[in-house]
Amino acid sequence: METIQTDVAIVGAGGAGLRAAIALAEADPGLSITLLSKVYPMRSHTCAAEGGAAGVIKPDDSLDQHFSDTVGGGDWLCDQDAVELFINEAPRELTRLEHWGCPWSRETDGSVAVRPFGGMKIKRTWFAADKSGFHILHTLFQTSLKYPAIKRLDEVFTTDLIVVDGKVQGCCAIEMRTGQMIQVQAKAVILCSGGGGRMFPFTTNGAIKTGDGMAMAYRAGVPLKDMEFVQYHPTGLPSTGILLTEGCRGEGGVLRNKDGYRYLQDYGMGPESPLGEPVLKTMELGPRDRLSQAFWHEQQKGNTIQTQWGDCVYLDLRHLGEAKINERLPFVRDLAKSYSGVDMVTDMVPIRPVVHYMMGGIHTDITAATPLPGLFAAGECACVSINGANRLGSNSLTELLVFGRRAAESAVAYIKDSGVSVDGAAANREATAVEARIRALFDRPEGDETTAGLRQEMFDTMEGGAGIYRDEASLTATTAKLAELRQRWQTLSVRDKSAVFNTDVMQVLELGAMLDLAETVASSALERKESRGSHQRLDHTERDDTRYLKHSMASYRGETAPPAIDYLDVTITKSQPGVRDYSGAKS
Amino acid sequence: MAKSNKPIVWGLFAVGGTVAAFCVPALILAHGLLVPLGVFGENALSYERVSAVIGFLPVKIVVLGVVILTLWHAAHRIRVTMHDFGIRKDDMVAMLCYGAAGLLTATALLGVMAV
Amino acid sequence: MSRKPFVRPVPATTWYMRNGRYLRYMAREVSSLFIGLYMAGLAMGLMRLAQGPDAWNAYLTALSSPLALVFHVLAFAFATYHATTWFNATPKAMRIRWGDGYVPGPTVVRAHYALWGLVSLVILVLVGVI
Amino acid sequence: MSERTIELEILRYNPATDEAPWYQTYTVPCQEEWVVLDAINYVKDHLDSSLSYRWSCHMAVCGSCGMMINGEPMLSCKAFLRDFGRKIRVEPLSHFPIERDLVVVLDDFMEKLPRVKPYIVRDQEKPIEEGEYKQKPFELYEFKQYSMCINCMLCYAACPQYGLNSEFIGPAALALAHRYNKDSRDEGRDQREEITAAHDGIWECSFVGACSEVCPKAVDPAGAIQQMKLASTMDWYLERLGGVGARVKRSLSSRRTSK
Ligand SMILES: Cc1cc2nc3c(=O)[nH]c(=O)nc-3n(C[C@H](O)[C@H](O)[C@H](O)COP(=O)(O)OP(=O)(O)OC[C@H]3O[C@@H](n4cnc5c(N)ncnc54)[C@H](O)[C@@H]3O)c2cc1C
Ligand code: SF4
Ligand code: F3S
Ligand code: FES
């Protein structure tokens, strides 16, 4: 096994990981930084984000307004101190990205342009046409090349954290190209490993979004917070889950049912806004949870269209005209044309809600520190929590920047203040145990169980039991099924025995992580007997602030037991829980 | 690493390529095919007429411009093409190509100026 | 170490046989040989012109030999091919600003073709009357 | 739902057991609207879990799934089965060493990219407090196209000059250098030219144009390189004009750079 010694290890080179790496390099050029990623940085899923990143810069906007949009959008489950901090730092971070060369779209006077987004009262989403995440990721990646202190380990699959005496002292990883185990001994580790939407069958998430980092932290004893909150994006292409950005609606796209009727007005988001003149925070610019739920109701009423990929409604952009579509939404036009054969200039695009984002994740405080000393987390894998029960579109790209940087600063402070040093011998013992566990996967007897088979069963149970609407029965069945699948995973063997670029072993490990996480989602959902944001229970349809204005905390209890679910108070500073109003009334 | 010296020849190559594209097809058609085939009549390109026309200074300049630029365009591209055919002695090839272009330039220059 | 990356060699002298795109490229490049030879001939011709009427007439006679004619047919084909590839590629290198964008590529290409037609006509007429 | 069956012929190579790559044919039941990547995923999930390849986004933006499909470099997630016949041949990207199966070694590009300084270079950084650089829509337009590169390496697989000389910096890295050269916020062109205008930079390109033909993001590296040749030719002459040249150069670039 190869040993690498470093000051800070970052797991994940998406938006959050790269931002953290740059912040570390800038904080102290003498630090040694090791950036591990299971794919080359520019393949990270941040590249798929289309719509944009929220931050207050325009004179008609205010920090307070961004605050109340975010907290209300999150159904008051956000920690308000975290939101406040996030909103204050957002404009600075976005401007910094501009200085690094991000090609933000512009107004005619040369200033940065902003576009409207769902759940936002004022236009504040910075965008780079409809490839915002792509440009953010590449800007960060290319900028990171400036700093020789950042040592990258590309295509290195991290499997476990190394914990010595209750402190995180590094991580273990498989170098894909050789199959060799590597132990990275570090004084601090920052997890930036992204979300885990791949536990659902229909998702906008790429193949790499399997929640490995969340599972690593969970197994190391860090609670996962608010895992039941899984965001469905209302406008995905049904065949592949490819996302048509919320920017489509921001620019004036509307949703219609099979009769061409704009059904959102029937679900508390009316009155109907005039075509081509979207009104902020109503109708199509309501928040994602509401829109996805409205779809479900339309489906129950038989108002959806049947396609070969299941039930759909229409996204109608025809009234925008070709010129505007080409200027603002060229990428999604191409996507819809290629993958669904529909040209949005002339036709309505069939769409359906698809799993998009995990509000929950590794429990951190506002300094991005987890309860486990030496471990920090940022990005989609973390839950700070600014997203509460429902993330507002375009807040998470900004979150990567703000908390990626904060995680780096906290890690530096932690190293300096506590004067930690790595216990090499103990770390090595831990790593050796991990290596033995991985090797054992290859020695399991080859049975009938296949990765694809188990994965499909996980898809079916998650989609069926833990989807947009849930109830006691569906969740009980799902948790039971997941417990069974976790058992069966123990017998799953790696069929490909070779060392070089063994994607088989990678998929087995990823599936293991997803099953652990799926169980925390279902168990947390089962325990939360209320409806809030993206978590909607058919048997408990109201929000219950007396019992559940709390974060759920899922803790690991071993390979065979389901998680323990506890609760943590939500931090409320200035906004008491109120009614989420998307009817266009003045607030 | 030192910057390449190719800009010296590339400028000529690019201008020459443009000149060649505009003029050479018609030139070949007229002077290489139509005249020899007698389309323009027996007396086309007769010595008297040609030398009279080339006697004009502006004509001299245009003709020389076309010939010389096109030659350099061709020389540079032949050099690259040799490489593409697998001949890897680039220094030698370059010397031969540009050398030939230089000689022919001198030839054309002497010829035109003497008329 | 179990890595053993496999390098597929590229044949240095026949690589362009692999696909049509490369063959078209090579045809374009080879055009330079014909254009160069033609120009060499022309340069010689100018020299002959300076040497007097006899030399010039011998040159004209040589031009009408079958060999010369075959060469010129080929050269004409290659030169024309060169011209089309050159004009089609100009918008790539030369971008002319037009408002908040550039003059569209096809427009630039069409303008070149129009000018080409004009220049060719002038050349034909001039040679014809001389 | 319409189904069809295709024959997928995949180049396999396992360094531990194979001396050289070989073809394996799989019969795959497919849906009409599938892309080649879906068929490969089917093989991985149902027929042969040992097949190695890269993919993630399935929406032509992460750049991982480039392969030779019937001899043409393509993103397998954007190669629709409807455009192919019954037999489809899939090989790893040309011009790169094969690590295993469809996975190629990308070290060469990853080493070259930082050399062209693909980031904003400035003499003087502007403090964040002063807000954003102003950039007019045309100034954005000037480099936007070249910022669309997803590093998928299709252009390297298509460029014969890269195949013949792997020292060549290559289309994507050069296009990215051009992207920053053309950015009104940047002042790094001189520094980049140390690499891009050296022997293995733009001058190794013979304008085959294959790179631009295969690029899935319409980056047009061929155009970028031609423009760089033009610019660096101008620079070359200006540098030799002494004081006058330097002055012309400075006035040309200061007109561009945002303050
Ligand atoms: C289609 C789509 C569109 C979106 N649009 C928007 C939008 O418009 N606005 C907005 O604000 N948000 C948007 N989001 C959400 C946002 O893009 C993501 O939440 C965010 O990009 C996540 O970034 P990240 O850095 O946390 O993780 P990622 O970018 O997913 O990166 C994760 C990194 O971790 C690495 N990694 C993971 N596991 C391991 C392991 N085991 N070992 C080593 N490395 C590992 C990966 O290699 C990768 O580098 C969108 C999301 C999707 C899917
Ligand atoms: S230039 Fe085009 S083909 Fe080349 S790597 Fe970039 S996106 Fe891919
Ligand atoms: S294919 Fe290669 S030779 Fe130049 S134009 Fe493109 S880089
Ligand atoms: S899978 Fe991302 S580009 Fe094809």
Side-chain angles (χ1 to χ4, degrees), chain C residues 3-6 8 15 18 21-22 25 28 92 95 97 101-102, chain D residues 13 18 72 92-93 96 98-99 141-142 158 206-207 213 227:
Chain C
R3 282 188 76 202
K4 198 180 73 188
F6 185 86
R8 292 160 288 176
W15 59 270
R18 279 188 298 173
R21 181 181 288 136
Y22 294 169
Y25 159 76
R28 184 191 86 186
K92 283 201 192 308
R95 301 204 295 178
R97 184 166 173 179
Y102 294 108
Chain D
Y13 173 68
D18 300 334
E72 184 78 0
L93 285 179
F96 293 96
I98 307 176
E99 188 80 79
Y141 180 83
E142 265 202 298
S206 59
F207 199 24
E213 287 174 34
Q227 291 163 37

mmCIF file of all heavy atoms in Angstrom, chain C residues 3-6 8 15 18 21-22 25 28 92 95 97 101-102, chain D residues 13 18 72 92-93 96 98-99 141-142 158 206-207 213 227:
data_model
loop_
_atom_site.group_PDB
_atom_site.id
_atom_site.type_symbol
_atom_site.label_atom_id
_atom_site.label_comp_id
_atom_site.label_asym_id
_atom_site.label_seq_id
_atom_site.Cartn_x
_atom_site.Cartn_y
_atom_site.Cartn_z
ATOM 1 N N ARG C 3 0.055 -2.155 -14.559
ATOM 2 C CA ARG C 3 -0.290 -1.345 -15.724
ATOM 3 C C ARG C 3 0.563 -1.745 -16.914
ATOM 4 O O ARG C 3 1.734 -2.071 -16.766
ATOM 5 C CB ARG C 3 -0.018 0.131 -15.440
ATOM 6 C CG ARG C 3 -1.053 0.798 -14.607
ATOM 7 C CD ARG C 3 -0.773 2.288 -14.555
ATOM 8 N NE ARG C 3 -1.152 2.943 -15.803
ATOM 9 C CZ ARG C 3 -0.645 4.101 -16.197
ATOM 10 N NH1 ARG C 3 0.277 4.704 -15.485
ATOM 11 N NH2 ARG C 3 -1.042 4.649 -17.319
ATOM 12 N N LYS C 4 -0.025 -1.676 -18.078
ATOM 13 C CA LYS C 4 0.723 -1.953 -19.293
ATOM 14 C C LYS C 4 -0.036 -1.307 -20.440
ATOM 15 O O LYS C 4 -0.603 -1.987 -21.291
ATOM 16 C CB LYS C 4 0.810 -3.480 -19.497
ATOM 17 C CG LYS C 4 1.881 -3.935 -20.449
ATOM 18 C CD LYS C 4 1.880 -5.452 -20.574
ATOM 19 C CE LYS C 4 0.705 -5.969 -21.367
ATOM 20 N NZ LYS C 4 0.502 -7.406 -21.406
ATOM 21 N N PRO C 5 -0.057 0.023 -20.449
ATOM 22 C CA PRO C 5 -0.862 0.701 -21.475
ATOM 23 C C PRO C 5 -0.447 0.281 -22.872
ATOM 24 O O PRO C 5 0.745 0.172 -23.147
ATOM 25 C CB PRO C 5 -0.570 2.182 -21.233
ATOM 26 C CG PRO C 5 -0.085 2.265 -19.830
ATOM 27 C CD PRO C 5 0.635 0.973 -19.575
ATOM 28 N N PHE C 6 -1.419 0.042 -23.709
ATOM 29 C CA PHE C 6 -1.141 -0.427 -25.057
ATOM 30 C C PHE C 6 -1.180 0.745 -26.032
ATOM 31 O O PHE C 6 -2.167 1.450 -26.141
ATOM 32 C CB PHE C 6 -2.180 -1.476 -25.482
ATOM 33 C CG PHE C 6 -1.879 -2.094 -26.805
ATOM 34 C CD1 PHE C 6 -1.036 -3.196 -26.897
ATOM 35 C CD2 PHE C 6 -2.415 -1.565 -27.977
ATOM 36 C CE1 PHE C 6 -0.733 -3.761 -28.123
ATOM 37 C CE2 PHE C 6 -2.113 -2.126 -29.216
ATOM 38 C CZ PHE C 6 -1.283 -3.225 -29.288
ATOM 39 N N ARG C 8 -1.241 2.067 -29.723
ATOM 40 C CA ARG C 8 -1.505 1.662 -31.108
ATOM 41 C C ARG C 8 -0.679 2.540 -32.024
ATOM 42 O O ARG C 8 -0.863 3.758 -32.039
ATOM 43 C CB ARG C 8 -2.998 1.843 -31.425
ATOM 44 C CG ARG C 8 -3.897 0.878 -30.673
ATOM 45 C CD ARG C 8 -5.327 1.376 -30.614
ATOM 46 N NE ARG C 8 -5.481 2.518 -29.708
ATOM 47 C CZ ARG C 8 -6.615 3.175 -29.537
ATOM 48 N NH1 ARG C 8 -7.678 2.836 -30.230
ATOM 49 N NH2 ARG C 8 -6.690 4.184 -28.684
ATOM 50 N N TRP C 15 -0.753 6.879 -42.894
ATOM 51 C CA TRP C 15 -1.836 7.170 -41.948
ATOM 52 C C TRP C 15 -3.086 7.730 -42.608
ATOM 53 O O TRP C 15 -4.202 7.496 -42.165
ATOM 54 C CB TRP C 15 -1.332 8.142 -40.889
ATOM 55 C CG TRP C 15 -0.835 9.437 -41.471
ATOM 56 C CD1 TRP C 15 0.429 9.700 -41.863
ATOM 57 C CD2 TRP C 15 -1.613 10.597 -41.758
ATOM 58 N NE1 TRP C 15 0.505 10.959 -42.385
ATOM 59 C CE2 TRP C 15 -0.732 11.538 -42.326
ATOM 60 C CE3 TRP C 15 -2.946 10.936 -41.586
ATOM 61 C CZ2 TRP C 15 -1.160 12.795 -42.736
ATOM 62 C CZ3 TRP C 15 -3.374 12.192 -41.996
ATOM 63 C CH2 TRP C 15 -2.481 13.109 -42.561
ATOM 64 N N ARG C 18 -6.501 6.032 -43.607
ATOM 65 C CA ARG C 18 -7.475 5.528 -42.647
ATOM 66 C C ARG C 18 -8.903 6.020 -42.878
ATOM 67 O O ARG C 18 -9.848 5.346 -42.575
ATOM 68 C CB ARG C 18 -7.042 5.867 -41.221
ATOM 69 C CG ARG C 18 -6.011 4.914 -40.675
ATOM 70 C CD ARG C 18 -5.770 5.173 -39.214
ATOM 71 N NE ARG C 18 -5.250 6.531 -39.001
ATOM 72 C CZ ARG C 18 -5.082 7.066 -37.806
ATOM 73 N NH1 ARG C 18 -5.402 6.392 -36.739
ATOM 74 N NH2 ARG C 18 -4.583 8.289 -37.676
ATOM 75 N N ARG C 21 -11.746 11.696 -44.572
ATOM 76 C CA ARG C 21 -11.427 13.041 -44.127
ATOM 77 C C ARG C 21 -9.932 13.323 -44.331
ATOM 78 O O ARG C 21 -9.548 14.379 -44.829
ATOM 79 C CB ARG C 21 -11.790 13.153 -42.657
ATOM 80 C CG ARG C 21 -11.540 14.489 -42.053
ATOM 81 C CD ARG C 21 -11.908 14.480 -40.591
ATOM 82 N NE ARG C 21 -13.341 14.441 -40.376
ATOM 83 C CZ ARG C 21 -13.936 13.669 -39.481
ATOM 84 N NH1 ARG C 21 -13.231 12.833 -38.752
ATOM 85 N NH2 ARG C 21 -15.229 13.723 -39.313
ATOM 86 N N TYR C 22 -9.117 12.337 -43.965
ATOM 87 C CA TYR C 22 -7.674 12.524 -44.114
ATOM 88 C C TYR C 22 -7.287 12.555 -45.592
ATOM 89 O O TYR C 22 -6.399 13.311 -45.997
ATOM 90 C CB TYR C 22 -6.910 11.399 -43.417
ATOM 91 C CG TYR C 22 -7.059 11.379 -41.905
ATOM 92 C CD1 TYR C 22 -6.610 10.282 -41.170
ATOM 93 C CD2 TYR C 22 -7.642 12.442 -41.214
ATOM 94 C CE1 TYR C 22 -6.742 10.253 -39.786
ATOM 95 C CE2 TYR C 22 -7.783 12.414 -39.842
ATOM 96 C CZ TYR C 22 -7.330 11.312 -39.121
ATOM 97 O OH TYR C 22 -7.455 11.281 -37.766
ATOM 98 N N TYR C 25 -7.913 15.880 -46.950
ATOM 99 C CA TYR C 25 -6.872 16.793 -46.489
ATOM 100 C C TYR C 25 -5.621 16.643 -47.340
ATOM 101 O O TYR C 25 -5.027 17.634 -47.787
ATOM 102 C CB TYR C 25 -6.556 16.518 -45.009
ATOM 103 C CG TYR C 25 -5.211 17.025 -44.558
ATOM 104 C CD1 TYR C 25 -5.008 18.386 -44.328
ATOM 105 C CD2 TYR C 25 -4.136 16.149 -44.369
ATOM 106 C CE1 TYR C 25 -3.773 18.854 -43.920
ATOM 107 C CE2 TYR C 25 -2.899 16.609 -43.962
ATOM 108 C CZ TYR C 25 -2.716 17.961 -43.732
ATOM 109 O OH TYR C 25 -1.498 18.421 -43.338
ATOM 110 N N ARG C 28 -5.861 18.241 -50.620
ATOM 111 C CA ARG C 28 -5.681 19.692 -50.511
ATOM 112 C C ARG C 28 -4.197 20.025 -50.433
ATOM 113 O O ARG C 28 -3.714 20.945 -51.099
ATOM 114 C CB ARG C 28 -6.400 20.170 -49.251
ATOM 115 C CG ARG C 28 -6.376 21.659 -49.055
ATOM 116 C CD ARG C 28 -6.857 22.028 -47.660
ATOM 117 N NE ARG C 28 -5.763 21.982 -46.706
ATOM 118 C CZ ARG C 28 -5.928 22.147 -45.383
ATOM 119 N NH1 ARG C 28 -7.144 22.301 -44.872
ATOM 120 N NH2 ARG C 28 -4.887 22.119 -44.583
ATOM 121 N N LYS C 92 -12.958 30.880 -40.561
ATOM 122 C CA LYS C 92 -12.338 30.386 -39.337
ATOM 123 C C LYS C 92 -11.206 31.295 -38.872
ATOM 124 O O LYS C 92 -11.063 31.580 -37.685
ATOM 125 C CB LYS C 92 -11.770 28.984 -39.560
ATOM 126 C CG LYS C 92 -12.811 27.895 -39.559
ATOM 127 C CD LYS C 92 -12.122 26.570 -39.254
ATOM 128 C CE LYS C 92 -13.011 25.377 -39.503
ATOM 129 N NZ LYS C 92 -14.310 25.431 -38.871
ATOM 130 N N ARG C 95 -12.208 36.808 -38.689
ATOM 131 C CA ARG C 95 -13.529 37.105 -38.156
ATOM 132 C C ARG C 95 -13.750 38.617 -38.234
ATOM 133 O O ARG C 95 -12.948 39.389 -37.721
ATOM 134 C CB ARG C 95 -13.649 36.593 -36.737
ATOM 135 C CG ARG C 95 -13.406 35.085 -36.669
ATOM 136 C CD ARG C 95 -14.056 34.449 -35.483
ATOM 137 N NE ARG C 95 -13.484 34.921 -34.229
ATOM 138 C CZ ARG C 95 -13.928 34.529 -33.043
ATOM 139 N NH1 ARG C 95 -14.935 33.693 -32.969
ATOM 140 N NH2 ARG C 95 -13.368 34.980 -31.944
ATOM 141 N N ARG C 97 -16.049 41.763 -37.342
ATOM 142 C CA ARG C 97 -17.090 42.139 -36.400
ATOM 143 C C ARG C 97 -18.309 42.725 -37.111
ATOM 144 O O ARG C 97 -18.192 43.445 -38.092
ATOM 145 C CB ARG C 97 -16.547 43.172 -35.415
ATOM 146 C CG ARG C 97 -17.584 43.504 -34.375
ATOM 147 C CD ARG C 97 -17.005 44.236 -33.219
ATOM 148 N NE ARG C 97 -18.111 44.647 -32.361
ATOM 149 C CZ ARG C 97 -17.974 45.299 -31.238
ATOM 150 N NH1 ARG C 97 -16.778 45.613 -30.814
ATOM 151 N NH2 ARG C 97 -19.012 45.633 -30.522
ATOM 152 N N GLY C 101 -21.756 40.596 -32.899
ATOM 153 C CA GLY C 101 -21.262 39.280 -33.282
ATOM 154 C C GLY C 101 -20.288 39.428 -34.431
ATOM 155 O O GLY C 101 -19.649 40.463 -34.586
ATOM 156 N N TYR C 102 -20.179 38.385 -35.233
ATOM 157 C CA TYR C 102 -19.326 38.448 -36.403
ATOM 158 C C TYR C 102 -20.172 38.277 -37.651
ATOM 159 O O TYR C 102 -21.272 37.726 -37.591
ATOM 160 C CB TYR C 102 -18.283 37.335 -36.355
ATOM 161 C CG TYR C 102 -17.308 37.500 -35.238
ATOM 162 C CD1 TYR C 102 -17.353 36.670 -34.126
ATOM 163 C CD2 TYR C 102 -16.344 38.504 -35.284
ATOM 164 C CE1 TYR C 102 -16.452 36.832 -33.086
ATOM 165 C CE2 TYR C 102 -15.447 38.673 -34.245
ATOM 166 C CZ TYR C 102 -15.500 37.839 -33.151
ATOM 167 O OH TYR C 102 -14.627 38.005 -32.132
ATOM 168 N N TYR D 13 -9.263 -4.962 -23.946
ATOM 169 C CA TYR D 13 -7.835 -5.103 -23.628
ATOM 170 C C TYR D 13 -7.674 -5.136 -22.123
ATOM 171 O O TYR D 13 -8.060 -4.191 -21.422
ATOM 172 C CB TYR D 13 -7.036 -3.952 -24.223
ATOM 173 C CG TYR D 13 -5.577 -3.946 -23.799
ATOM 174 C CD1 TYR D 13 -4.715 -4.955 -24.230
ATOM 175 C CD2 TYR D 13 -5.066 -2.947 -22.973
ATOM 176 C CE1 TYR D 13 -3.384 -4.969 -23.836
ATOM 177 C CE2 TYR D 13 -3.732 -2.944 -22.583
ATOM 178 C CZ TYR D 13 -2.899 -3.961 -23.011
ATOM 179 O OH TYR D 13 -1.588 -3.974 -22.622
ATOM 180 N N ASP D 18 -3.820 -9.812 -21.627
ATOM 181 C CA ASP D 18 -3.753 -9.700 -23.086
ATOM 182 C C ASP D 18 -2.437 -9.100 -23.553
ATOM 183 O O ASP D 18 -1.943 -8.144 -22.974
ATOM 184 C CB ASP D 18 -4.891 -8.812 -23.609
ATOM 185 C CG ASP D 18 -6.257 -9.376 -23.247
ATOM 186 O OD1 ASP D 18 -6.341 -10.608 -23.074
ATOM 187 O OD2 ASP D 18 -7.205 -8.586 -23.120
ATOM 188 N N GLU D 72 -15.232 6.701 -35.885
ATOM 189 C CA GLU D 72 -15.344 8.147 -35.746
ATOM 190 C C GLU D 72 -15.347 8.505 -34.253
ATOM 191 O O GLU D 72 -16.087 7.909 -33.483
ATOM 192 C CB GLU D 72 -16.667 8.562 -36.409
ATOM 193 C CG GLU D 72 -16.941 10.027 -36.468
ATOM 194 C CD GLU D 72 -16.178 10.762 -37.547
ATOM 195 O OE1 GLU D 72 -15.408 10.124 -38.290
ATOM 196 O OE2 GLU D 72 -16.343 11.993 -37.628
ATOM 197 N N PRO D 92 -11.601 2.270 -28.140
ATOM 198 C CA PRO D 92 -11.145 3.426 -27.356
ATOM 199 C C PRO D 92 -10.653 4.532 -28.279
ATOM 200 O O PRO D 92 -10.270 4.271 -29.422
ATOM 201 C CB PRO D 92 -9.999 2.869 -26.510
ATOM 202 C CG PRO D 92 -9.646 1.556 -27.091
ATOM 203 C CD PRO D 92 -10.793 1.066 -27.903
ATOM 204 N N LEU D 93 -10.646 5.760 -27.793
ATOM 205 C CA LEU D 93 -10.228 6.905 -28.600
ATOM 206 C C LEU D 93 -8.853 6.678 -29.222
ATOM 207 O O LEU D 93 -7.916 6.250 -28.544
ATOM 208 C CB LEU D 93 -10.170 8.167 -27.726
ATOM 209 C CG LEU D 93 -11.509 8.800 -27.353
ATOM 210 C CD1 LEU D 93 -11.274 10.019 -26.474
ATOM 211 C CD2 LEU D 93 -12.305 9.181 -28.594
ATOM 212 N N PHE D 96 -4.487 7.648 -28.215
ATOM 213 C CA PHE D 96 -4.158 7.575 -26.791
ATOM 214 C C PHE D 96 -3.819 6.125 -26.452
ATOM 215 O O PHE D 96 -4.406 5.210 -27.017
ATOM 216 C CB PHE D 96 -5.351 8.017 -25.928
ATOM 217 C CG PHE D 96 -5.693 9.464 -26.054
ATOM 218 C CD1 PHE D 96 -6.689 9.888 -26.921
ATOM 219 C CD2 PHE D 96 -5.003 10.417 -25.310
ATOM 220 C CE1 PHE D 96 -6.998 11.240 -27.042
ATOM 221 C CE2 PHE D 96 -5.318 11.770 -25.425
ATOM 222 C CZ PHE D 96 -6.315 12.176 -26.297
ATOM 223 N N ILE D 98 -4.066 2.687 -24.588
ATOM 224 C CA ILE D 98 -5.221 2.044 -23.957
ATOM 225 C C ILE D 98 -4.813 1.562 -22.570
ATOM 226 O O ILE D 98 -3.885 0.775 -22.426
ATOM 227 C CB ILE D 98 -5.708 0.842 -24.781
ATOM 228 C CG1 ILE D 98 -5.968 1.248 -26.238
ATOM 229 C CG2 ILE D 98 -6.971 0.258 -24.153
ATOM 230 C CD1 ILE D 98 -6.354 0.090 -27.137
ATOM 231 N N GLU D 99 -5.524 2.050 -21.567
ATOM 232 C CA GLU D 99 -5.275 1.565 -20.207
ATOM 233 C C GLU D 99 -5.920 0.203 -20.049
ATOM 234 O O GLU D 99 -5.292 -0.763 -19.621
ATOM 235 C CB GLU D 99 -5.885 2.542 -19.194
ATOM 236 C CG GLU D 99 -5.543 2.248 -17.754
ATOM 237 C CD GLU D 99 -4.161 2.759 -17.392
ATOM 238 O OE1 GLU D 99 -3.985 3.969 -17.147
ATOM 239 O OE2 GLU D 99 -3.241 1.918 -17.366
ATOM 240 N N TYR D 141 -18.891 37.461 -26.215
ATOM 241 C CA TYR D 141 -19.073 36.673 -27.429
ATOM 242 C C TYR D 141 -17.730 36.274 -28.037
ATOM 243 O O TYR D 141 -17.567 35.179 -28.556
ATOM 244 C CB TYR D 141 -19.904 37.497 -28.416
ATOM 245 C CG TYR D 141 -20.192 36.823 -29.719
ATOM 246 C CD1 TYR D 141 -21.248 35.924 -29.846
ATOM 247 C CD2 TYR D 141 -19.410 37.085 -30.836
ATOM 248 C CE1 TYR D 141 -21.511 35.302 -31.049
ATOM 249 C CE2 TYR D 141 -19.664 36.466 -32.046
ATOM 250 C CZ TYR D 141 -20.717 35.570 -32.145
ATOM 251 O OH TYR D 141 -20.971 34.952 -33.341
ATOM 252 N N GLU D 142 -16.761 37.198 -27.943
ATOM 253 C CA GLU D 142 -15.465 36.958 -28.578
ATOM 254 C C GLU D 142 -14.775 35.687 -28.103
ATOM 255 O O GLU D 142 -14.014 35.077 -28.830
ATOM 256 C CB GLU D 142 -14.531 38.148 -28.309
ATOM 257 C CG GLU D 142 -14.527 39.171 -29.396
ATOM 258 C CD GLU D 142 -13.251 39.981 -29.346
ATOM 259 O OE1 GLU D 142 -13.023 40.657 -28.326
ATOM 260 O OE2 GLU D 142 -12.485 39.911 -30.317
ATOM 261 N N ALA D 158 -9.066 12.783 -33.342
ATOM 262 C CA ALA D 158 -9.288 13.044 -34.767
ATOM 263 C C ALA D 158 -8.074 13.677 -35.434
ATOM 264 O O ALA D 158 -7.880 13.539 -36.635
ATOM 265 C CB ALA D 158 -10.489 13.962 -34.951
ATOM 266 N N SER D 206 -1.418 21.611 -39.031
ATOM 267 C CA SER D 206 -1.413 21.891 -40.471
ATOM 268 C C SER D 206 -2.840 22.142 -40.965
ATOM 269 O O SER D 206 -3.134 21.965 -42.126
ATOM 270 C CB SER D 206 -0.773 20.739 -41.225
ATOM 271 O OG SER D 206 -1.486 19.546 -40.965
ATOM 272 N N PHE D 207 -3.694 22.543 -40.043
ATOM 273 C CA PHE D 207 -5.054 22.931 -40.390
ATOM 274 C C PHE D 207 -5.803 21.824 -41.121
ATOM 275 O O PHE D 207 -6.399 22.032 -42.168
ATOM 276 C CB PHE D 207 -5.015 24.214 -41.240
ATOM 277 C CG PHE D 207 -6.320 24.964 -41.273
ATOM 278 C CD1 PHE D 207 -7.265 24.833 -40.267
ATOM 279 C CD2 PHE D 207 -6.612 25.816 -42.336
ATOM 280 C CE1 PHE D 207 -8.461 25.527 -40.303
ATOM 281 C CE2 PHE D 207 -7.812 26.523 -42.388
ATOM 282 C CZ PHE D 207 -8.743 26.374 -41.375
ATOM 283 N N GLU D 213 -14.427 19.314 -36.925
ATOM 284 C CA GLU D 213 -15.522 18.510 -37.467
ATOM 285 C C GLU D 213 -16.083 17.553 -36.430
ATOM 286 O O GLU D 213 -17.273 17.273 -36.410
ATOM 287 C CB GLU D 213 -15.051 17.717 -38.692
ATOM 288 C CG GLU D 213 -14.858 18.600 -39.918
ATOM 289 C CD GLU D 213 -14.241 17.848 -41.099
ATOM 290 O OE1 GLU D 213 -14.523 16.649 -41.262
ATOM 291 O OE2 GLU D 213 -13.453 18.470 -41.831
ATOM 292 N N GLN D 227 -6.538 31.587 -35.891
ATOM 293 C CA GLN D 227 -6.487 32.965 -35.386
ATOM 294 C C GLN D 227 -5.230 33.199 -34.557
ATOM 295 O O GLN D 227 -4.649 34.289 -34.573
ATOM 296 C CB GLN D 227 -7.722 33.264 -34.541
ATOM 297 C CG GLN D 227 -8.994 33.316 -35.369
ATOM 298 C CD GLN D 227 -10.224 33.205 -34.498
ATOM 299 O OE1 GLN D 227 -10.263 33.736 -33.400
ATOM 300 N NE2 GLN D 227 -11.227 32.502 -34.981
#
